[in-house]
Amino acid sequence: MKKIFCLAFSAFVLLMNAAVAQNNDPVLMTIGKESVTKSEFIKAYQKNSSLSEATEADLREYLRLYADYRMKVQEAKALQLDTAKAFQKEWEAYKNQYAQQYLIDTEVSDQLLEETTERARYHVRASHILVRLSPNASPKDTLAAYHKIMKIREEIVNGLNFNEAAVLYSEDESARDFVNPQTKRRQPGNRGELGYFSALEMIYPFETAAFSTPVGQVSMPVRTQYGYHLVYVQDKIPAVAKIFVSQIFIKDSVAMKPDVNHDAVMAKYAQIKQKFQQGMSFKDLAAEYSEDNATKNNGGRMEPFTPNRRPGNFVYAAISLKPGQISEPVPSAIGWHILRLDSVVYTTVNDEFKYMIKNRLSRDSRSKKSKESLVEKLKVEYNYNESGKKAAMKFFAKNMTDNYFQSRHIAPDSLKGIEKLKPMCTYADQKLTAVDFANYLKRYQGVQVSTSMDKFLESVYPNFVSDNMLRYESTRLMDKYPEYRDVVNEVYDGLLIYEVNSVKVWNAALADTVGTMQYYEQIKSQFATGDSLNPYKPFEEVRAVVISQYQDKMEKDWVAQLHEKYPVKINEEVFKTILKK
């Protein structure tokens, strides 16, 4: 908590670099050898308070707090606490964390957030057909795959049932029946059915196709890392947080088989429905008819679930009911489910939900779009030029076989003649050489290249440039963005305050057991009991309170010493000009 307090305090105490007095920004006060300008003080004060409403007493109190704060920072540096490895590591972590928001294209990020939040208001139910294609496929193979999936789409548009087409043509094997390797039993495939899903639950291009295609229609082919997909959107509903249902379950391993006679199940359902309509409770019906031992004795109540945790037909049957109604039997791989809807909780899109979406979005692959957009802008800003890339790529392709990365020892940076190549690219005052790229390639040792080496190198080169350019940009943030510099400096000072307080006050008080006991003797009248035999509460009973007060005393004494070491001088004439505001 104390570290949090220090960082919070630093958030409203804005430190700029030691300022030199200017005619339009005079020095308000000096603290030892450090100068604080009028503008610096005003900016710090206005972070949490309104200057127009401030009284002289308010300003003088803040001036005192600000001076104490600056003294502690100076003392921490004098003790070289800022050179400790642990401090440097923590500060770097904070700095890098804040840097991330400057290493993206905020306009693109805002668009993605708006798009994702809107999609998160819904669940869609979709099926798909896949024609597999490697991400690095040749133009010939890409064209062949595209023609293949367009032919499938044409058959569907002309009347072929989508799910039947999935069984016939999809290269996603889950579409067809399969033998369970554990039970050795044949299980039904999903016929392309993916069920219900919302935003951030599918890869981005697929999600975009699903949310862009009207209900009842089939998308045009959409390319993902897996190949080409056709997406058939079956339903779109307001986003659901939880579904609460109860069930009567009837075992049947062939429930999903349309060509099997299910008259016995339908007859049992008719009995259940009739008794339900006549007033028999669902709880009693579940106890009598259900074959699910986990739920039959608790009224058939199932664990609440989200739409993406159950098959699409199960979810559709549940949400199509009104609370208290029962469904017709819903088939699954293990039997039939007669559902009673208990309740549906819909997603509430509030600030907390949006914050959750923003966090999830930052970890999703689509967030790369904002980094890619920023890199393109930086290329323009820094006059990016890759005139040496072509020759270097030819060199690598000539000297590296397609199975090069399968070798136990790879050293592309030591390829003969590599040092003679011109820089692959330049930007700002930076240059990336073929040796730099070779060192970058070492991370791919053990990777099986599924295409030709030249195509593989072309595919990883943009990431090489992007990583280096963003790393360079991160070194310039302090100069480019004053607001970033301010926050980083605030964190720096806040961490220093925590460290110096730990050394001089908090830990010192805990270690000074003799001093603590002596202080208890001085203040024990605060803990009077009124008992003549035991007039005061024992130390152990009030230990926490005593230590806290002793820390306060130590801090007050320490600050008094700091005032002697770093004398404060206030320019009253400048202070009066602040009062006039």
Side-chain angles (χ1 to χ4, degrees):
M1 287 299 293
K2 289 172 179 172
K3 180 176 284 192
I4 292 172
F5 170 79
C6 286
L7 292 175
F9 186 80
S10 72
F12 69 83
V13 178
L14 176 63
L15 172 65
M16 300 173 69
N17 292 332
V20 178
Q22 302 289 330
N23 292 333
N24 60 346
D25 191 16
V27 172
L28 171 63
M29 66 176 170
T30 57
I31 307 164
K33 295 181 179 180
E34 181 182 7
S35 299
V36 177
T37 65
K38 173 182 173 180
S39 66
E40 178 185 349
F41 177 76
I42 291 175
K43 191 172 184 180
Y45 186 86
Q46 288 183 322
K47 273 188 169 285
N48 276 353
S49 303
S50 170
L51 185 62
S52 62
E53 298 174 1
T55 64
E56 180 176 354
D58 294 333
L59 290 170
R60 288 201 180 275
E61 174 61 14
Y62 189 80
L63 203 60
R64 181 186 68 80
L65 292 172
Y66 190 87
D68 290 352
Y69 182 86
R70 298 303 325 145
M71 287 178 198
K72 289 182 179 181
V73 172
Q74 287 190 63
E75 183 66 4
K77 291 179 178 178
L79 295 173
Q80 298 186 332
L81 298 180
D82 55 336
T83 64
K85 288 184 179 180
F87 173 85
Q88 289 291 330
K89 182 178 180 181
E90 189 166 9
W91 180 60
E92 284 296 328
Y94 277 111
K95 189 167 68 169
N96 292 336
Q97 179 183 352
Y98 282 116
Q100 296 312 305
Q101 60 189 298
Y102 293 89
L103 298 176
I104 56 174
D105 186 329
T106 54
E107 184 177 346
V108 173
S109 292
D110 290 345
Q111 290 172 354
L112 282 171
L113 179 59
E114 182 180 352
E115 174 188 75
T116 306
T117 303
E118 179 60 27
R119 290 177 180 179
R121 296 175 185 272
Y122 301 95
H123 272 96
V124 295
R125 181 185 179 188
S127 299
H128 86 129
I129 292 171
L130 170 67
V131 171
R132 293 193 179 277
L133 184 67
S134 166
N136 299 316
S138 67
K140 179 181 178 181
D141 291 341
T142 301
L143 187 60
Y146 183 81
H147 284 160
K148 182 177 182 179
I149 204 160
M150 280 299 292
K151 186 177 180 181
I152 297 169
R153 187 179 189 277
E154 185 178 352
E155 287 191 51
I156 295 168
V157 171
N158 289 333
L160 178 62
N161 177 273
F162 188 94
N163 298 104
E164 290 179 6
V167 175
L168 287 172
Y169 299 121
S170 184
E171 294 174 18
D172 178 354
E173 295 301 324
S174 67
R176 287 174 284 282
D177 295 355
F178 63 98
V179 176
N180 188 310
Q182 294 179 330
T183 64
K184 306 301 181 184
R185 293 181 179 177
R186 193 170 187 81
Q187 291 187 204
N190 60 29
R191 297 169 60 82
E193 164 84 54
L194 297 173
Y196 285 85
F197 54 88
S198 189
L200 298 169
E201 293 175 0
M202 295 287 180
I203 53 179
Y204 183 56
F206 191 96
E207 176 194 298
T208 297
F211 278 89
S212 303
T213 303
V215 174
Q217 293 190 23
V218 179
S219 72
M220 290 296 287
V222 56
R223 179 78 181 270
T224 73
Q225 65 208 63
Y226 303 106
Y228 279 113
H229 307 255
L230 295 177
V231 182
Y232 171 50
V233 179
Q234 298 158 264
D235 194 16
K236 185 175 183 179
I237 62 172
V240 173
K242 290 287 183 182
I243 301 174
F244 296 79
V245 298
S246 300
Q247 72 164 349
I248 295 170
F249 175 66
I250 302 169
K251 291 181 181 178
D252 186 358
S253 61
V254 293
M256 298 288 287
K257 292 285 187 181
D259 54 345
V260 175
N261 189 306
H262 300 300
D263 290 348
V265 172
M266 294 303 131
K268 184 177 285 189
Y269 165 67
Q271 293 176 17
I272 294 170
K273 183 178 181 181
Q274 183 179 26
K275 290 184 178 181
F276 182 75
Q277 291 173 338
Q278 291 172 349
M280 187 171 179
S281 71
F282 195 86
K283 178 180 179 181
D284 292 338
L285 287 168
E288 180 177 345
Y289 288 99
S290 184
E291 298 174 37
D292 178 17
N293 292 328
T295 62
K296 66 178 297 180
N297 295 320
N298 68 351
R301 286 194 305 274
M302 301 179 68
E303 288 292 322
F305 58 90
T306 54
N308 62 351
R309 304 300 295 175
R310 291 289 186 276
N313 63 331
F314 192 101
V315 175
Y316 180 79
I319 63 177
S320 297
L321 301 169
K322 294 180 180 178
Q325 288 184 335
I326 65 172
S327 71
E328 293 186 357
V330 180
S332 73
I334 57 175
W336 300 87
H337 309 260
I338 301 169
L339 306 177
R340 182 193 67 184
L341 179 65
D342 298 327
S343 65
V344 177
V345 178
Y346 289 94
T347 299
T348 301
V349 181
N350 51 24
D351 290 342
E352 183 179 353
F353 180 81
K354 291 177 181 177
Y355 180 76
M356 180 270 292
I357 289 292
K358 186 174 183 179
N359 281 340
R360 289 182 60 191
L361 188 59
S362 68
R363 299 189 297 271
D364 189 79
S365 61
R366 73 194 67 185
S367 64
K368 293 179 181 177
K369 289 182 65 177
S370 61
K371 286 187 180 292
E372 291 168 355
S373 178
L374 176 64
V375 169
E376 291 306 309
K377 290 181 178 180
L378 292 177
K379 285 181 177 180
V380 175
E381 180 181 349
Y382 296 140
N383 297 313
Y384 175 81
N385 181 289
E386 56 180 35
S387 59
K389 175 193 169 188
K390 185 176 181 180
M393 285 298 195
K394 287 180 67 175
F395 172 85
F396 283 116
K398 179 180 178 181
N399 289 278
M400 299 168 68
T401 61
D402 290 350
N403 62 353
Y404 180 85
F405 293 104
Q406 295 297 300
S407 302
R408 180 172 297 181
H409 303 290
I410 65 170
D413 56 322
S414 62
L415 293 172
K416 187 176 180 180
I418 191 172
E419 72 283 351
K420 297 179 181 179
L421 295 169
K422 293 181 179 180
M424 296 183 75
C425 67
T426 59
Y427 55 91
D429 59 351
Q430 303 292 297
K431 60 181 180 181
L432 298 179
T433 67
V435 173
D436 294 328
F437 188 48
N439 285 320
Y440 179 83
L441 292 174
K442 289 179 181 178
R443 67 184 63 188
Y444 295 102
Q445 183 174 5
V447 171
Q448 179 63 55
V449 177
S450 58
T451 184
S452 61
M453 181 56 70
D454 57 342
K455 289 179 180 176
F456 173 76
L457 296 175
E458 287 287 350
S459 72
V460 301
Y461 180 77
N463 289 334
F464 163 69
V465 173
S466 176
D467 288 355
N468 281 279
M469 189 167 278
L470 291 175
R471 192 177 301 115
Y472 171 72
E473 179 69 0
S474 69
T475 66
R476 301 197 65 242
L477 297 180
M478 295 283 277
D479 295 326
K480 285 182 71 172
Y481 301 103
E483 66 277 14
Y484 171 78
R485 181 179 63 244
D486 292 344
V487 171
V488 168
N489 284 336
E490 289 167 9
V491 171
Y492 184 89
D493 289 346
L495 290 172
L496 274 181
I497 291 290
Y498 173 81
E499 294 298 332
V500 76
N501 275 341
S502 295
V503 171
K504 291 293 187 177
V505 179
W506 303 324
N507 294 343
L510 290 173
D512 186 7
T513 55
V514 173
T516 303
M517 286 302 299
Q518 291 174 344
Y519 188 69
Y520 165 72
E521 292 297 329
Q522 296 174 26
I523 65 168
K524 66 182 181 182
S525 59
Q526 297 180 23
F527 313 116
T529 63
D531 186 338
S532 58
L533 295 176
N534 300 293
Y536 307 110
K537 292 180 181 180
F539 173 76
E540 286 304 323
E541 190 174 326
V542 294
R543 184 175 186 274
V545 177
V546 174
I547 290 176
S548 178
Q549 291 188 23
Y550 187 48
Q551 287 174 335
D552 291 342
K553 178 184 181 300
M554 291 187 71
E555 181 171 18
K556 188 178 295 184
D557 294 344
W558 174 50
V559 170
Q561 294 171 11
L562 291 180
H563 272 268
E564 294 181 8
K565 185 174 181 179
Y566 306 104
V568 178
K569 296 180 181 178
I570 299 172
N571 187 327
E572 291 294 338
E573 293 302 316
V574 176
F575 183 74
K576 289 177 183 177
T577 64
I578 299 177
L579 290 177
K580 292 178 182 179
K581 293 183 178 292

